Amino acid sequence: MANDAPWSVSKSAELYQIRGWGEPYYLAGEGGQVEVRPNPTVENTINLFELVKDLRARGLELPLLIRFSDILADRIKRINECFAKAIAEYNYPNVYRGVYPVKVNQQRHLVEEVVEYGKPWQFGLEAGSKPELLIALSAMQDTGGLILCNGYKDYKYIETAVLAQRFGKTVIVTLERIEELDIILKVSDATGLRPLIGVRAKLTAKGVGRWADSAGERAKFGLTSSEIITVVDRLAERNMLDCLQLLHFHIGSQISSIIPIKNAMQEASKIFVELAKMGAAMKYLDVGGGLAVDYDGSKTDFHASKNYNVDEYAHDIVYAVKEACEKASITCPTIVSESGRAIAAHQSVLLFEVVGTSDVLSLQVGELQPNAHALIKGLHETYQGIVGKNVQESWHDACQAKDEAVSLFKFGYLSLRERAEAERIFWCCARRIAQNMRRLRFVPEELQNLEKELASIYYCNFSIFQSAPDCWAIDQLFPIMPIHRLDEEPTVRATLADLTCDSDGAIDDFIDREDIKHVLEVHDVKDTEPYILGMFLNGAYQEILGDLHNLFGDTNTVHVRLTESGYHVSHVVKGDSVSEVLHYVQYAPEVMIEKVRMQAERALQAGEITIPQMRLLMRNYEEGLANYTYLTIDE
Ligand SMILES: *Cc1c(COP(=O)(O)O)cnc(C)c1O
């Protein structure tokens, strides 16, 4: 039977679903380590474990975020090629011009790479705020990509956008609220320029899942049908209908099913056609974001997955627009999409080390002493009696004894040492029950959580709040797995805890083939080598949403690019030092040093501390301020 065969890398690959979420970029290498193939069109791979070793040798400690530039390039290429293919297949008489929504990841090196890799397709940028517009204007030098202005806008935002059109950029201001029309008209009057205008429609078609409320009547953004008519009428009055050129909608992020996308396309295409018929010079249909990422690799409409691929997405969009426009005999528009997650998620991996474990698995029952308390004797008997499948009765006995131990202790009939022994044997019972239970087909309900209760806790050198805030905020799932030892069976089941003093700083939901699982299969941690876990596909939203809980700052970040013979590290962005983080909260490290020095000086005068002790303290304090905010792992 396959299950009795020795453990293998391919068993690990299946366990962690790496083919599902990782292809074509991440794979379980034959040597038992995760390999990265940043450019799927060439054979070169990078061994992730070796890469981490190399980077550490350069002084770049974990936690470490690695961005694979070639993966970003491939994502951009892929979406453009899929649209090009659909356009060719349907003989669509216009083009696709994607934009990257800057809000997904605003880091300069990344945005610059998006512009660089997007050049062949005139890939543009989308801004959701004034600061993001300022980024877009400086980043899109002369590449001809669109710059789309979304988000709530004030006079200066719109004025800046309209003026920037004068240096040869296609900057389109999309109305998110009807009030913005007045501002645009004012800007137009004051500058004497004719703005390019878009409208964001509030569709009745909704997305699915967490962001479903981004669309629908009660949505925060967009114009209702009657507001759109108002825009048309008012522009017509001023002879400015030719300025209205774009229709936009966005029905939410991570749309896991293709159905709502199709529905939205039908509704939006119809609005587009109507706008053109009313005389607007409609040139662009902007279908927003929402293209999902298959975080769990299941290829289903589960919220962490998606039941369609980029190819199908592009085909459905092109088809819907073509059909609606041809039926109405109007010119087919340039199709624009604002995919963020699908562009940026795959390229980055967070790597972190396990720094400690707590587990009940190593507890031993121990010898029964002849003079042991009756309760302890009873627990020993319960433990010995756990055989075969009938474990439920033993479970009841063990639970009862544990409760009784607490009562007896409270009333003084059991010593603290005896109570500790009772608890230890209880956990040994639980472990044995769980082991026997794994052979059961039906697990009684009261025992279903036992595996999780018995799981080890792996303490990891990172902060969820800084590096994966959506795990905490919205229970998002990211694929997590060890990046080495894949040829060894992972015999431990664990939940992960981060460094923060926050009980929410833990991960106990993991991807699974069906639904989710609450423990992750991991290896025992050896004293002799680090145990490194990777959290994958976290390039979208996590970096900027990350916060400074417990003052854990930005992690070290590197950009890695493939070369003929291997790779090179193109950018290193050192993580925050303690001083930098303290500055954010208004501390002045120099003043802090002085205050501590004065206290130490007083202690020295009082004979409480020696000069070498004082020197050591001050050195630690000053070095502490200059160092990384995460734990330093002793060699
Ligand atoms: C957030 C956002 C996007 C990006 O959405 P993804 O789901 O990441 O592709 C695109 N357009 C608008 C208007 C947005 O608010």
Side-chain angles (χ1 to χ4, degrees), residues 101 103-104 126 128 150-151 176 200 221 248-250 252-255 286 288-292 337-343 540-541:
K103 79 155 189 272
V104 175
E126 182 258 6
N150 294 332
E176 300 259 9
R200 174 166 176 170
F221 305 100
H248 168 52
F249 69 88
H250 174 72
S253 201
Q254 185 65 12
I255 315 265
D286 170 6
L291 177 56
S337 80
E338 304 176 343
S339 296
R341 190 184 292 278
I343 298 287
Y541 299 109

Side-chain angles (χ1 to χ4, degrees), residues 141 143 157 188 235 256 272 278 305 324 329 396 552 587 591 627:
Q141 294 275 340
T143 58
Y157 181 151
S188 173
L235 288 176
S256 51
F272 184 89
M278 285 188 282
S305 186
S329 306
H396 295 156
F552 291 110
Y587 289 91
V591 177
N627 284 347

Side-chain angles (χ1 to χ4, degrees), residues 236-249:
E237 277 165 26
R238 300 175 53 122
N239 257 334
M240 284 176 71
L241 251 189
D242 60 312
C243 296
L244 180 55
Q245 299 192 352
L246 176 142
L247 175 69
H248 168 52
F249 69 88

